[in-house]
Amino acid sequence: MADEVRCAVFGQGIYCRALVEFTNHCDNNCRYCGIRKGNVDLARYRLSDQEILDACATAYALGLRTFVLQGGEDAWYTDARLIPLIATLHERFPQAAITLSLGERSPQSYENLYAAGARRYLLRHETANPEHYRMLHPERQSFWHRMHCLYALRATGYQVGCGMMVGSPGQSWEHLADDMAFLQEFRPEMLGIGPFLPHHATPFSACPPGSAQLTLFLLSLARIMLPKVLLPATTALRTLLPQGLTQGVAAGCNVVMPSIPTAGYELYDGKAAVRDLPQVLRRMEEELALSGCALISARGDYGADNAAGENQRMQNACKPRG
Ligand code: 5AD
């Protein structure tokens, strides 16, 4: 049913977002996450502005029209550093959407970054249950602050993405029901749902991964509940499941977010490092063709008229192969 809803709303087109993981420094210590501050063994990096611009230019040339700038909560990235970067991207690539995924910041900062040209913001709520939130995060990170940020983003005018891990340690059926109730109330424009995957340098290293089948089930519920939501087949799902893209699409997913080549952004074990973006796109095209779908070159804003068929297939997709 989710597949039918996806097809009715979006047709055959799958949006493709360029994920630029530009810093793995993080001031937070989320118990599940491989780039947590407490992981002292991790080699930390920050891409230069030039490297970020180059990564976006590479993606743009291949037909991608959304740049997702994602990083740890890295205080080095003050507004004063981010504003010129976002403004330059916005100016150089006026046809592309800029999505940020930088964690919790002040409402003023969210406004400043919006004014610079960002229009979407991803901030997963992680769990809609405050007690469960406390199990996943140290004391100084609060569920209520996370909620406050999500509503501040909404009030600023962003298209907002939230989301949760499936099978994170301590998660119960009730917690997942809380998540679904929260989604129904918040009605996010974007939604990331992926399985929890253990990372060796975290307190949850010995915990089992979340279930791929349950993730797919929740994705399909989300598609039916929020027909127009932008729903990626997450990297975590595709890490756990070899056929994650095809199965994600069959469960209602309509977005993929390939990382643009950078090393060391390791949220969980087994996360593949990307080398060759054209090859990654080709492989995704081939997988999608099996589901009768194709990557399209469009910004893919929430509520855009997708089924009209005016979205161009990505150039990559049009090139004859072999
Ligand atoms: N397994 C799965 N997802 C994870 N994330 C962080 N660590 C893990 C993990 N070990 C997710 C979180 C975060 C997003 C960027 O990645 O939900 O919000």
Side-chain angles (χ1 to χ4, degrees):
M1 193 187 289
D3 195 24
E4 276 173 31
V5 175
R6 177 194 59 71
C7 200
V9 179
F10 297 98
Q12 300 177 323
I14 303 293
Y15 295 123
C16 193
R17 321 299 200 191
L19 181 59
V20 182
E21 294 154 326
F22 69 96
T23 168
N24 71 351
H25 288 259
C26 192
D27 301 324
N28 279 340
N29 222 2
C30 305
R31 296 195 172 99
Y32 45 84
C33 185
I35 67 168
R36 66 203 305 270
K37 191 177 189 156
N39 181 3
V40 292
D41 293 332
L42 182 66
R44 304 283 174 170
Y45 70 86
R46 287 184 185 109
L47 299 190
S48 67
D49 282 13
Q50 192 56 50
E51 287 171 309
I52 297 170
L53 290 168
D54 288 348
C56 293
T58 302
Y60 194 91
L62 290 165
L64 284 81
R65 292 294 177 268
T66 293
F67 309 135
V68 182
L69 303 187
Q70 185 174 80
E73 278 193 28
D74 182 356
W76 191 83
Y77 283 98
T78 56
D79 290 1
R81 288 199 163 103
L82 287 167
I83 288 167
L85 172 65
I86 295 167
T88 305
L89 272 176
H90 188 50
E91 194 184 280
R92 220 174 274 182
F93 305 101
Q95 318 277 35
I98 300 169
T99 304
L100 302 178
S101 178
L102 311 173
E104 298 182 5
R105 303 176 73 92
S106 68
Q108 183 61 57
S109 173
Y110 290 149
E111 279 179 35
N112 296 341
L113 304 180
Y114 187 94
R119 285 296 176 271
R120 308 183 195 147
Y121 203 105
L122 304 176
L123 180 65
R124 289 194 180 175
H125 65 285
E126 313 296 356
T127 170
N129 181 284
E131 268 128 68
H132 187 219
Y133 197 94
R134 277 200 292 280
M135 291 181 55
L136 298 179
H137 304 96
E139 201 68 57
R140 67 178 276 270
Q141 292 174 247
S142 115
F143 172 78
W144 299 108
H145 194 257
R146 180 63 57 109
M147 287 291 138
H148 184 74
C149 287
L150 283 168
Y151 283 95
L153 288 163
R154 167 72 46 83
T156 304
Y158 286 98
Q159 296 170 51
V160 184
C162 64
M164 68 282 189
M165 290 173 288
V166 177
S168 57
Q171 187 179 60
S172 68
W173 297 108
E174 284 79 2
H175 295 157
L176 285 171
D178 288 343
D179 285 321
M180 298 312 288
F182 170 68
L183 295 179
Q184 191 157 43
E185 156 143 353
F186 186 68
R187 308 194 74 79
E189 285 81 18
M190 302 168 286
L191 175 60
I193 302 180
F196 162 76
L197 299 174
H199 184 282
H200 61 90
T202 65
F204 292 154
S205 57
C207 297
S211 149
Q213 285 312 309
L214 181 56
T215 305
L216 290 167
F217 175 70
L218 290 164
L219 284 165
S220 64
L221 282 188
R223 166 59 66 213
I224 292 162
M225 194 166 84
L226 304 166
K228 296 204 282 187
V229 77
L230 296 159
L231 189 68
T234 51
T235 310
L237 178 67
R238 299 175 55 217
T239 303
L240 186 62
L241 208 58
Q243 304 287 318
L245 179 53
T246 320
Q247 297 200 54
V249 167
C253 295
N254 73 318
V255 175
V256 279
M257 300 174 59
S259 334
I260 306 307
T262 52
Y265 197 80
E266 212 184 72
L267 304 183
Y268 39 78
D269 290 337
K271 189 169 176 286
V274 189
R275 296 252 145 61
D276 181 356
L277 185 61
Q279 190 194 323
V280 167
L281 296 178
R282 266 195 307 275
R283 192 137 10 95
M284 290 195 306
E285 278 288 347
E286 282 160 12
E287 286 176 52
L288 288 171
L290 302 173
S291 323
C293 290
L295 296 178
I296 48 175
S297 186
R299 285 169 55 110
D301 286 294
Y302 183 83
D305 190 358
N306 310 282
E310 52 195 328
N311 285 329
Q312 274 193 12
R313 288 185 61 169
M314 267 179 32
Q315 276 164 355
N316 192 56
C318 300
K319 283 193 199 118
R321 275 186 290 276

